[in-house]
Amino acid sequence: MSMREMRRGRRLHHSRFLQPRLPAFWLFVLIVGLTGIVALAEQSLYRTMSPSGWALSWFLLALYGLPVVLVVYVLDLYEREPVPLLVAAFAWGAIAATTLSAIGNAGWGLTVARLGGPEFAARWTAALTAPFVEEILKGCGVVLIYLIARDEVDDVMDGFVYGAICGLGFAIVEDVFYFMAVFGGEPSGVVQGFWLRVVASGLYGHVLYTGLVGMAIGVVVSRRATEALRHRLWVAAGLCALAAFAHFVWNSPLLTLFPAQPWAGADYLLVVVATAVKGLPLLVFVAIAVTLARRRERRWLHQALAGEIGLDGISAAELHLLENPRRRRAARRAMRRRAGPRAAGLLHRLQREQVNLAMVASRVGDGDDPALSRQRAYCRSLRDALRAIPAAAPAGDEGPEGRG
Amino acid sequence: MTDPTPPRPDASPWMRRGGHDRRWLPTLAVLGVILATTLGGFVAAAALAEPAGPPVSIPGVVSVQPLTGWEPAEADSVGDRPFVRVTRGSGTLVAVAWGPFDGDAEALAVDVRDEALDGSLDQLSVSEGFTPVVLDQGTEGKRFTFVGIDAESGAAVEGEVTTVISTDGQGVVFVGLAPEGLLAFVDGDLHTMVSAAIVGPAA
């Protein structure tokens, strides 16, 4: 079997974003394209209003967004999501969800005003419309990504990653709007807006809400084999309700401890306290949920690969390393010191393919499946290539045959 | 076109069915949710905008039909110009019989801005230009918005003025008013009531 054939085998579970045979792909493209025209016009208007404030807004938000992307990306321990799909999730949140939400919030805001009158509407519209309109519209983007690349949303963490990235896109564009339209658009206003909406609040908002909605979607679509539909729907409904409730509390006049404007000196610290009161409980909940999801992933990896020990794909020592991201990284660092960067890179590839081996093993069911055999052979070829590098051989992996 | 990808072993029976339904139904469902979420509020708000109670009117000049939640308030006059009012909370719609007017709706809007508003509001700020509007009965008019400080109470107010000239040459001015920041929560009702207003001899 050639290396090319083996590489083809490893693509079994990776879906592309460009899938012109799927209506979901075209719906995604159509909506992002149409709303993109509106979004571009809006950004152009902001740039005209205050070029320096607009540029500063994007610069500051890039400083916030890039680390968040990185953290969310590496949270998925074993199967990093394809970058094109993550870009699509971000684009949906930034372009489609923001534009559609502006329309939806206006419409449902009219309804709230009709039902409750202007005073009630002024206090409660943001809390009664945005949590539902925005979470549904952002969630639709995650569902479309699932429909485009079904195999990529194969556990709860995947749903969290796509949801959080979608929420980040939404948060960034919404922040630009606030900096320009609410905080005045001049650099001083942008900096004040950045303090309130990013430094003080950046850990609590859309990334968490849509991360939860993404987890809900992940629960529904990835646990078919182990949980009844009714149970999955209840869990998903609970996660979505929690996201909407947290968003409701954030937007509502409840628990509002912000100091009176204009702020000066210690007021800026009080702002941090005020946002923490509203947002910290959800952050703690999501941190626990993500930790549990990662443990579940680890258990899944162990179960999927336990039957593979002693075959071509993985040894017990390799599985021991693979299960713990810290040990994996330490092994690569040790390999780099001992045998150089090429060997460390090969070890990295071997570990990635062993995670793919787990996915193939868990899906095909049959131990003699050709796809599984291909993946085992590919792992073995990587291991052989690694051993051929001087000083790389005693890398803590004696190889499956050494274990019997 | 059929999906060449074999179904996953852990796929549900619904997923295994494959083919046309599997690709189209979920996508159409998502589209339906997006449309309902984005546009449903406007449909619901329109359905809730029911006329309520008898219209308030200055006979032969203007008649306004209040919507649900809006109450007729005491009619009065400014100088020799009578007006009628409907209110909801702090939101108010005033319809003023401006009297015979030689110019068009835009000229009337300029008069309202320069005479009436400028004299009664401090720190007046007015939107640029005038937006054309057409009432349901076909009468054309002009609209602008303003923000200012009420000279008597000292409160910040914002509002929206719509001017029309009736077929018999009477100027009619609709002024929607709310405390600053609240106009956005009544302007939907204001637009509906102004659009449905009858001006001229039929009122």
Side-chain angles (χ1 to χ4, degrees), chain A residues 21-24 27 31 92 100 103-104 106-108 110-111 113-119 121-122 125 132-133 136-137 140 143-144 146-147 150-151 154 224-225 363-364, chain B residues 1 3-5 8-10 12 14-15 22-24 26-27 30-31 33-34 36-38 40-42 44-46 48-49 67 88-91 182 185-186 188-189 192:
Chain A
R21 68 192 170 79
L22 294 177
L27 180 63
I31 292 178
W92 181 272
L100 295 174
I103 301 168
W108 290 106
L110 271 179
T111 305
R114 288 243 154 95
L115 288 171
E119 282 77 16
T125 293
F132 307 100
V133 170
I136 288 171
L137 290 172
C140 283
V143 172
L144 282 177
Y146 164 70
L147 292 175
R150 288 173 190 260
D151 284 353
D154 51 18
R224 290 192 180 90
R363 282 180 185 162
V364 297
Chain B
M1 199 193 310
D3 186 348
T5 312
R8 287 164 47 168
D10 59 343
S12 68
W14 178 80
M15 291 265 297
R22 180 183 157 187
R23 288 181 288 130
W24 278 100
T27 306
V30 172
L31 177 62
V33 171
I34 290 172
T37 308
T38 307
F42 294 102
L48 289 168
L67 296 177
R88 183 173 191 187
S90 56
L182 293 188
F185 300 105
V186 290
D189 281 357
T192 304

Side-chain angles (χ1 to χ4, degrees), chain A residues 203-390:
Chain A
L203 289 174
Y204 310 130
H206 290 284
V207 174
L208 297 189
Y209 308 145
T210 320
L212 279 177
V213 173
M215 287 177 111
I217 294 165
V219 166
V220 172
V221 303
S222 72
R223 295 188 181 175
R224 290 192 180 90
T226 55
E227 291 173 25
L229 177 64
R230 179 180 292 188
H231 182 255
R232 282 181 280 139
L233 289 177
W234 273 113
V235 174
L239 290 168
C240 290
L242 180 64
F245 178 71
H247 198 160
F248 166 84
V249 171
W250 185 266
N251 282 11
S252 79
L254 304 174
L255 298 174
T256 299
L257 303 176
F258 290 96
Q261 296 258 25
W263 300 330
D267 288 344
Y268 284 94
L269 292 178
L270 287 176
V271 168
V272 176
V273 175
T275 56
V277 168
K278 284 196 171 209
L280 199 55
L282 181 68
L283 179 65
V284 170
F285 176 87
V286 172
I288 293 170
V290 167
T291 304
L292 291 175
R294 285 169 56 140
R295 280 187 192 162
R296 188 185 169 93
E297 264 197 323
R298 186 176 298 183
R299 283 200 304 275
W300 164 82
L301 186 79
H302 186 86
Q303 286 165 6
L305 289 177
E308 291 292 314
I309 292 175
L311 303 176
D312 280 347
I314 194 165
S315 69
E318 286 170 340
L319 179 57
H320 178 70
L321 288 180
L322 198 66
E323 284 177 333
N324 186 312
R326 209 170 284 172
R327 285 199 293 264
R328 268 192 287 169
R329 284 194 297 271
R332 291 201 297 267
R333 278 197 303 271
M335 179 67 78
R336 181 183 296 272
R337 279 194 301 273
R338 197 169 62 243
R342 182 164 166 264
L346 258 180
L347 179 59
H348 196 180
R349 276 177 64 188
L350 173 61
Q351 291 173 341
R352 202 167 54 218
E353 293 309 328
Q354 285 170 333
V355 171
N356 285 340
L357 177 69
M359 283 186 288
V360 178
S362 67
R363 282 180 185 162
V364 297
D366 179 5
D368 295 327
D369 190 284
L372 192 53
S373 301
R374 271 200 304 273
Q375 189 65 18
R376 286 176 191 142
Y378 185 48
C379 292
R380 184 190 178 103
S381 72
L382 288 173
R383 187 184 302 105
D384 290 345
L386 186 61
R387 285 175 170 171
I389 298 174

Side-chain angles (χ1 to χ4, degrees), chain A residues 115-171:
Chain A
L115 288 171
E119 282 77 16
F120 176 84
R123 281 173 61 79
W124 290 97
T125 293
L128 293 174
T129 59
F132 307 100
V133 170
E134 293 173 6
E135 296 318 318
I136 288 171
L137 290 172
K138 286 180 288 177
C140 283
V142 181
V143 172
L144 282 177
I145 284 173
Y146 164 70
L147 292 175
I148 292 168
R150 288 173 190 260
D151 284 353
E152 287 303 332
V153 187
D154 51 18
D155 64 40
V156 176
M157 273 308 298
D158 293 348
F160 176 81
V161 169
Y162 287 116
I165 294 291
C166 180
L168 178 67
F170 190 98

Side-chain angles (χ1 to χ4, degrees), chain B residues 55-65 135-139 165-170 172 196-203:
Chain B
V56 294
S57 57
I58 300 169
V61 181
V62 61
S63 175
V64 175
Q65 173 64 59
L135 305 193
D136 291 350
Q137 68 176 129
T139 309
I165 308 294
S166 67
T167 51
D168 60 347
Q170 296 287 323
V172 176
I198 297 169
V199 297

